[in-house]
Amino acid sequence: FSYGDYVRAGAVARFSPIMRAVKAHADRGGRVLGICNGFQILCEAGLLPGALLRNENQRFVCKHQYLRCETTDSALTSALTLHQVVSVPIAHAEGRYHIDDQGLNDLWNNDQVLFRYANAEGVVSSMDNPNGSRDHIAGIRNKRGNVFGMMPHPERSAEDILGISDGKLLFKGLISSVEQAAV
């Protein structure tokens, strides 16, 4: 199985039969979280705007990365404070988020940007953008607020035994919102 086969398989994942169920779940208001390739699939399936492209440097990137929270009005970010910095791992070759100018304006106007790449102090700059993402975007949500996508891997930083547990904060907010919706 070559890398090229993997890329082609990812590009057609949106046609998988399971995606009909994922779309139906999202249409009913159910929460959907796509991480890394899952983010890519959600964009390809039209559940999130934009697309994920090959990293600007054309290389696979694997490291811990700081993210700055851009909204707290989201199930995924509700346990964070505005502009709080968290550290989570990234591991991708096609993580460069791209969207056209109008789409970017819509994301900001609709409070859909969840995270941007930053440094430890929360400063957003091209020096701390590991893949060349448009406007340093690392994660977004749909307009309705129930579909989330992000390139970084919070699930790889959600246990103290891993040496970092910042990802736990994202899941805490998401779990809390699901529990509140069930009551």
Side-chain angles (χ1 to χ4, degrees), residues 7-23 37 40-47:
V7 170
R8 284 187 292 280
V12 297
R14 68 184 170 128
F15 297 115
S16 173
I18 190 68
M19 288 308 295
R20 286 191 296 277
V22 171
K23 285 182 182 182
N37 294 98
Q40 185 177 26
I41 292 167
L42 292 175
C43 289
E44 290 170 355
L47 291 170

Side-chain angles (χ1 to χ4, degrees), residues 12-72:
V12 297
R14 68 184 170 128
F15 297 115
S16 173
I18 190 68
M19 288 308 295
R20 286 191 296 277
V22 171
K23 285 182 182 182
H25 178 70
D27 288 345
R28 288 190 306 270
R31 289 171 183 79
V32 178
L33 171 60
I35 297 170
C36 199
N37 294 98
F39 183 20
Q40 185 177 26
I41 292 167
L42 292 175
C43 289
E44 290 170 355
L47 291 170
L48 290 173
L52 281 299
L53 306 175
R54 188 109 171 110
N55 292 347
E56 196 169 61
N57 66 7
Q58 301 295 302
R59 293 193 171 120
F60 178 81
V61 179
C62 182
K63 65 178 189 166
H64 279 272
Q65 176 67 50
Y66 292 107
L67 305 178
R68 186 173 86 175
C69 176
E70 295 297 334
T71 184
T72 58

Side-chain angles (χ1 to χ4, degrees), residues 94-159:
E94 291 153 348
R96 181 169 47 118
Y97 181 72
H98 179 75
I99 194 164
D100 64 21
D101 291 341
Q102 182 60 51
L104 182 63
N105 287 334
D106 290 346
L107 286 177
W108 284 109
N109 290 336
N110 296 313
D111 197 27
Q112 291 175 255
V113 177
L114 300 173
F115 300 103
R116 294 200 303 163
Y117 298 111
N119 66 17
E121 290 76 39
V123 176
V124 174
S125 75
S126 58
M127 295 278 299
D128 299 296
N129 185 337
N131 52 34
S133 285
R134 181 86 193 265
D135 210 18
H136 315 285
I137 292 174
I140 62 169
R141 65 179 174 168
N142 66 348
K143 283 183 185 177
R144 190 171 176 187
N146 64 314
V147 179
F148 313 94
M150 60 187 297
M151 278 318 285
H153 289 271
E155 79 283 6
R156 295 182 184 175
S157 62
E159 296 290 335

